[in-house]
Every structure is written in structure tokens, then in C-alpha cells.
Amino acid sequence: MNNTTNESDRILRAAGTSLQVNREGGYHRPADSIGQGSRRLKKNHWKKKLGILGLAVAGLWVASSVVGLVIGGLGFTGIFTTVLATVAAVFVFSRWPKMKVPRRENLNKGDVRRMVGNTELWLEAQRPALPAPAVKIVEDLGVQLDALGMQLETIDQNHPAARDVRKLVGEHLPETIDSYRKIPAHLRQEERAGATPDKQVAESLGRISKEIDEVTRQLADGALDDLAVRTRYLDYRYGENEETASES
């Protein structure tokens, strides 16, 4: 009986460790959050999962207690069965439901916080498909997007500059990456017109990163009428992006 009890304790400890590891992103964590926005959404997701897990575990033990009262006690077998059911619940609900990556067309929807968080989550999911220089820029973009989001919260969301900035972040930034991903992998290092798609996407993201930094500074200074964001991001849209997309 002692051996069985020790095994139950071991299983429970293993389940607890598994839950903690999953909360932290698994044993292998190649893709940490790039910004506070995505980190906040992940934290909220885990709170919901833990809430579901808590209800499931509480339900199991309440049901076991009721059964025990009806039949005059669960006995060791009943308690052990409940423990195993608890372990199974921890295993299942630590993995389900998984957090969904936002669809690109939905990035610019919702309030500023939601837009920034969704864009960061989407960017994180794109990293495995990007060349190393572009990955570094994407990781730096998280901090920039957090700062930009804070500035956008302080201005009228109907101001043309605010709408243009949201379009730059929620539409044209992901379009740059989407254009690159449409190119077959074996062609991404093939040079055309003096540059490879790998180099082009890194340069395009670098320019957008500089643009976001400049816009954030101007917003901080209250220089809304000096942004001229539309001219700049349309240049990216019909310049760099179209050139990259043509490689496909």
C-alpha cells in the first residue's frame, strides 16, 4: 500500500511539474514573447485554462465525495481512482485549449491594446519561416510596438494619423512578411536584381522598424500633423513589398 501511495504522490508531482512547464511554454522555449502585448494575451489565456482546470478538479472531488457519502466511503480504490482522474484532468487541460494565432486579416481589429498584442502574437508565429536577420528585427519590434501602442492610446483613434499608424502596424507590416513567405523556400536565397528575398525582407522590416520608432517619437511630441505616415507606408507597400512579392 505504501508503494501505491508513493506512486500516486509521484504522479501528482509529475503532473504539477508538467503544468508549470506548460505555463512557461514547454520544455523547449525557442520563441519567447517579443513584447508586453503578446505576453499579456498569453497570461490571460493561461488564466482561463487554469480556471477551467480548477473547475474540473473541483468537480471531480465533489463528485467523489458525494459518491462516498452514498456508498458509505470510497476506500483506497476510490481515492486512487479520483487521484488518477485529477492527474488526467491536469494533463488534458494544461494542453487544451491551445492559444490560437490571430489571422492576419484580423490584426487591425479591436482596440489598440488588442491590435498590438495580436500583431506581436502573429509575428512570433512567423519567426521560424524568416531568415536570422529578419528574426532579430521581429524580436526588436515587440518593444517598439508596445511603446507605439502606449502612444496611440493617448490620441483620438479617429485622427487620420492614428488610422494610418494602425494600418502600418496591423496591415502593411504583416503584408511584408506574407509576401516573403509566398516565395518558395528554395528561391529565397536566389539573387535577383542585386538582392535575395532573404535580404529584401530583412531590409524592408528594418525600414518599417525605423518608421515605427520615428512615428512613436512624433506621437510622443504631439506632432500628429507632421507624421505624413500615409506617404511613407504606401511607399513600402508599393515599393519594397511589391518587389519582394514579384520574386514568387
Side-chain angles (χ1 to χ4, degrees):
M1 180 173 179
N2 287 336
N3 289 338
T4 305
T5 302
N6 291 337
E7 181 66 12
S8 299
D9 292 340
R10 186 189 69 78
I11 293 173
L12 285 173
R13 286 195 299 270
T17 301
S18 175
L19 179 60
Q20 180 64 27
V21 167
N22 275 275
R23 288 185 65 182
E24 296 174 352
Y27 286 100
H28 301 285
R29 301 181 62 191
D32 292 330
S33 298
I34 63 174
Q36 294 294 331
S38 60
R39 189 174 295 114
R40 180 177 59 253
L41 292 180
K42 291 175 183 177
K43 184 177 180 180
N44 291 339
H45 176 72
W46 263 103
K47 285 181 178 178
K48 292 180 181 178
K49 290 181 68 168
L50 290 176
I52 295 173
L53 173 60
L55 289 174
V57 171
L60 282 172
W61 285 93
V62 168
S64 297
S65 299
V66 172
V67 172
L69 290 174
V70 172
I71 66 176
L74 288 176
F76 174 77
T77 300
I79 293 175
F80 186 67
T81 300
T82 304
V83 169
L84 290 181
T86 301
V87 171
V90 171
F91 180 84
V92 170
F93 289 111
S94 65
R95 290 163 172 74
W96 178 90
K98 293 183 179 296
M99 189 166 194
K100 295 181 180 179
V101 176
R103 297 175 62 87
R104 184 175 68 82
E105 59 267 25
N106 295 330
L107 297 183
N108 199 21
K109 296 181 179 179
D111 59 23
V112 172
R113 283 178 174 266
R114 172 64 61 172
M115 179 199 69
V116 169
N118 281 343
T119 301
E120 290 176 0
L121 281 176
W122 188 87
L123 287 171
E124 290 169 11
Q126 310 311 308
R127 287 183 291 187
L130 296 175
V135 171
K136 178 61 171 65
I137 295 172
V138 164
E139 291 174 346
D140 292 340
L141 277 170
V143 178
Q144 291 182 293
L145 291 175
D146 287 335
L148 179 60
M150 292 178 63
Q151 294 301 328
L152 287 176
E153 288 181 343
T154 65
I155 67 175
D156 181 3
Q157 294 301 295
N158 292 320
H159 192 286
R163 293 197 300 268
D164 288 347
V165 172
R166 286 174 63 98
K167 211 162 192 178
L168 171 65
V169 172
E171 296 180 20
H172 295 292
L173 168 59
E175 279 178 4
T176 297
I177 295 177
D178 258 5
S179 295
Y180 170 80
R181 294 199 62 176
K182 291 177 182 177
I183 302 172
H186 68 283
L187 297 178
R188 293 174 182 173
Q189 296 182 1
E190 183 176 301
E191 184 171 327
R192 292 187 182 181
T196 65
D198 280 357
K199 182 178 180 180
Q200 286 178 330
V201 72
E203 290 178 347
S204 294
L205 290 174
R207 290 190 177 95
I208 291 177
S209 174
K210 291 179 181 178
E211 179 67 14
I212 290 175
D213 182 65
E214 179 63 23
V215 167
T216 302
R217 293 175 185 274
Q218 291 180 341
L219 286 173
D221 293 337
L224 292 178
D225 296 330
D226 297 332
L227 285 177
V229 175
R230 182 176 297 277
T231 300
R232 287 193 288 260
Y233 80 59
L234 286 178
D235 179 63
Y236 296 137
R237 174 66 179 88
Y238 297 110
E240 296 288 343
N241 288 352
E242 289 297 318
E243 183 180 353
T244 302
S246 67
E247 295 291 336
S248 60

